[in-house]
Amino acid sequence: MGDQPVHPNNKIYVRAMKGVFQRLRRYGGWFLMSLFMLTPWIPYQGRQAILLDIESQQFNFFSVTLFPQDLILLAFLFMIAAFALFFFTTFLGRVWCGYTCPQTVWTFIFIWFEEKLEGARNKRVKMDKSGWSKDKLWRKTAKHLCWLAVSLVTGMTMVAYFVPAPDVVFGFFTGELGFASTFAVVFFTLATYGNAGWMRTIVCTHMCPYARFQSAMFDKDTFIVGYDVERGEARGPRRRKEDPKELGLGDCVDCNLCVEVCPSGIDIRNGLQYECINCGACIDACDQTMDKMGYERGLISYTTEHRLEGGHTDMVRPKLIGYGLVLLVMISAFFVTLNMRVNFEVDVLRDRNQMYRETVEGLIENTYTLVLVNKTQQTSVFQLKAEGLPEHEWVGPTEVEVTAGDVVDVPISLAVDPYELERVMTQIEFVVTTSTSEDTVTIDSRFFSKR
Ligand code: SF4
Ligand code: SF4
């Protein structure tokens, strides 16, 4: 059995590794990070394309503006994300953890800075054991400054999804950002620095709930990172030209590379462990050793428990089909709801304190508040009228201008001669049309009178 990684103060010294999966993760990580950082800077029709404006309670996503009334779409999005996670975890194991989770992406970016500034793994171990010197001081300082710079950009980017991006950047450095947003920037900066710089896979093993419940989604046909015990054991060192069979050895040369490159500090040869984030670093490491020894690659590979036991892997299975179908239903429901969404919305609220009141002219008056929501990107004029009442007086505006993405409350009253009313309660309708849409919205309401 090889040595465990060096852990002074439980620190894991990750060895950098080259290979197919590392390239995939590195390029994927840079792409995802760039996408995250640049998205708030994408303009669309003179404003930020994606902005979750909490103050005005609206979410701008290119040409679509969502309001609290559209919460159902957000619920669908969460369900789509959840079922996509279930589907891909059942199929490919913890591929989310290894390649796309921000914790992993940022951790590997921080490790990249560590490697560039403090050197390779063995050099870092030696440096940490040695006393302070000028060289150690500048290297450590430079590393932490780089980590903090990336963390600060991350913190500002997080807030730029909620506050216009230029305001965040200029406001933060000029002190004009406001307390809540400045606090959020500082909070996300420290959280990034702490999580990716110091905590790393401790977050995955001790804090992330996903690591705990993933086992419920795994089955024997789920792709995991696995070590072929049959082929690898008995492990042991040997010369390249020596025949392992003659020495009574398997293909594992016990080089310990798979352990040294593991960000979780585990030995995959001990079997499937919940700390494994499926990053594939040990596969690249082992393939490198196999190439050097002239052995076939794949002693450690993406495989399934069934395959490791010599059996057959079922790609299509009931659990996977179930998750896939629910995912398709959720995606369809999301787009159908989005398509059916009208460009403006009207709500009618009755005065809760008084059913009706009598005016000095002897008319019966009911009071309402019409809530007009303009979900388009242009100013719109709303035309208002009531139907279902005999001749009546409309007290309030019949035309209201609502700017793009705005919500306006319009208090109005309807007054009717009581002798014209046949019942105590009359069913009425508010009919609203707008200048920017051909749709007409009709809202049912009631008009109360005295007995
Ligand atoms: S065991 Fe391999 S795949 Fe799992 S976390 Fe460690 S290096 Fe990544
Ligand atoms: S990298 Fe491969 S050969 Fe080296 S110890 Fe790990 S399993 Fe054995």
Side-chain angles (χ1 to χ4, degrees):
M1 162 102 60
D3 299 335
Q4 289 300 311
V6 186
H7 290 180
N9 305 321
N10 281 335
K11 187 170 172 182
I12 297 171
Y13 290 86
V14 182
R15 183 184 180 128
M17 182 48 57
K18 288 194 175 117
V20 179
F21 298 110
Q22 300 325 291
R23 264 202 303 281
L24 186 64
R25 202 195 30 252
R26 187 171 316 121
Y27 295 141
W30 284 117
F31 170 74
L32 289 173
M33 194 181 184
S34 311
L35 192 69
F36 167 73
M37 301 273 188
L38 296 177
T39 298
W41 295 95
I42 301 173
Y44 183 81
Q45 293 186 348
R47 58 172 179 77
Q48 196 165 313
I50 298 177
L51 183 69
L52 190 58
D53 189 343
I54 293 177
E55 207 173 286
S56 13
Q57 298 192 355
Q58 48 183 266
F59 178 27
N60 295 311
F61 189 84
F62 290 89
S63 62
V64 180
T65 302
L66 300 178
F67 292 84
Q69 293 88 338
D70 300 311
L71 212 65
I72 181 81
L73 284 169
L74 201 63
F76 278 133
L77 274 185
F78 280 126
M79 284 192 272
I80 289 169
F83 278 97
L85 194 66
F86 296 163
F87 178 83
F88 285 109
T89 304
T90 306
F91 186 32
L92 297 172
R94 290 178 73 178
V95 68
W96 159 262
C97 299
Y99 291 88
T100 49
C101 173
Q103 178 65 26
T104 307
V105 172
W106 262 249
T107 295
F108 275 95
I109 284 166
F110 276 39
I111 290 175
W112 183 81
F113 279 110
E114 198 163 64
E115 179 93 11
K116 293 285 164 230
L117 289 159
E118 292 184 2
R121 178 180 177 275
N122 291 346
K123 206 172 160 195
R124 298 203 302 274
V125 174
K126 214 165 134 199
M127 185 191 283
D128 279 1
K129 282 183 178 164
S130 68
W132 283 98
S133 64
K134 255 191 196 164
D135 183 64
K136 181 172 173 175
L137 187 67
W138 90 256
R139 285 180 190 279
K140 291 267 174 204
T141 309
K143 178 184 82 173
H144 286 284
L145 285 177
C146 288
W147 284 2
L148 278 169
V150 176
S151 304
L152 180 62
V153 176
T154 307
M156 287 202 282
T157 306
M158 277 300 288
V159 177
Y161 281 87
F162 299 87
V163 176
D167 295 359
V168 176
V169 177
F170 299 117
F172 184 77
F173 290 111
T174 55
E176 288 168 11
L177 186 56
F179 175 76
S181 301
T182 306
F183 178 82
V185 170
V186 173
F187 174 81
F188 285 117
T189 301
L190 293 180
T192 308
Y193 175 71
N195 285 345
W198 295 92
M199 308 273 284
R200 298 188 175 174
T201 45
I202 294 173
V203 175
C204 313
T205 48
H206 297 287
M207 293 159 75
C208 175
Y210 175 55
R212 307 274 155 190
F213 70 76
Q214 58 164 329
S215 53
M217 288 167 248
F218 272 38
D219 56 36
K220 289 199 161 197
D221 293 316
T222 299
F223 277 90
I224 51 165
V225 172
Y227 167 70
D228 189 341
V229 182
E230 282 288 308
R231 185 185 148 190
E233 301 299 315
R235 66 187 77 162
R238 80 287 310 259
R239 289 206 179 82
R240 193 175 185 277
K241 287 189 181 136
E242 285 175 320
D243 183 356
K245 286 201 181 78
E246 278 176 17
L247 300 169
L249 294 172
D251 280 356
C252 174
V253 300
D254 209 10
C255 63
N256 207 38
L257 268 188
C258 53
V259 183
E260 290 179 7
V261 297
C262 178
S264 300
I266 58 170
D267 187 342
I268 195 64
R269 293 172 298 173
N270 295 336
L272 180 62
Q273 293 146 78
Y274 81 95
E275 292 96 336
C276 174
I277 56 168
N278 261 29
C279 70
C282 54
I283 301 179
D284 285 332
C286 193
D287 281 348
Q288 199 181 82
T289 302
M290 294 296 109
D291 290 349
K292 273 188 196 148
M293 297 301 293
Y295 299 166
E296 197 187 329
R297 286 180 164 207
L299 178 57
I300 302 177
S301 64
Y302 281 110
T303 183
T304 66
E305 279 189 75
H306 268 155
R307 210 175 273 173
L308 283 175
E309 288 164 3
H312 168 76
T313 296
D314 276 330
M315 294 288 183
V316 184
R317 44 200 195 273
K319 192 157 78 169
L320 204 55
I321 295 172
Y323 284 142
L325 283 178
V326 179
L327 184 60
L328 278 180
V329 169
M330 291 297 156
I331 293 173
S332 312
F334 174 81
F335 282 107
V336 168
T337 313
L338 189 66
N339 209 30
M340 281 167 55
R341 192 174 157 270
V342 286
N343 280 328
F344 64 95
E345 210 162 276
V346 182
D347 237 348
V348 177
L349 309 173
R350 278 191 54 87
D351 181 358
R352 290 188 183 191
N353 299 322
Q354 219 176 13
M355 298 275 273
Y356 65 89
R357 76 177 193 94
E358 245 180 302
T359 66
V360 282
E361 294 94 14
L363 300 178
I364 298 295
E365 191 176 78
N366 280 210
T367 304
Y368 309 82
T369 301
L370 305 189
V371 183
L372 311 177
V373 187
N374 179 3
K375 293 180 174 179
T376 66
Q377 304 299 325
Q378 309 105 39
T379 297
S380 187
V381 178
F382 285 61
Q383 279 113 21
L384 320 169
K385 65 177 179 181
E387 285 179 357
L389 279 177
E391 195 183 335
H392 61 273
E393 209 178 295
W394 176 287
V395 186
T398 50
E399 278 196 356
V400 181
E401 191 178 275
V402 185
T403 51
D406 214 354
V407 182
V408 173
D409 289 353
V410 185
I412 61 118
S413 297
L414 299 175
V416 184
D417 184 340
Y419 295 105
E420 299 282 340
L421 293 165
E422 289 168 7
R423 287 175 225 97
V424 174
M425 194 270 285
T426 310
Q427 202 69 43
I428 63 164
E429 281 176 345
F430 285 96
V431 181
V432 182
T433 49
T434 71
S435 57
T436 48
S437 167
E438 287 172 6
D439 303 330
T440 299
V441 173
T442 308
I443 311 280
D444 290 336
S445 191
R446 281 168 289 181
F447 186 94
F448 289 99
S449 175
K450 60 185 179 181
R451 283 182 188 279

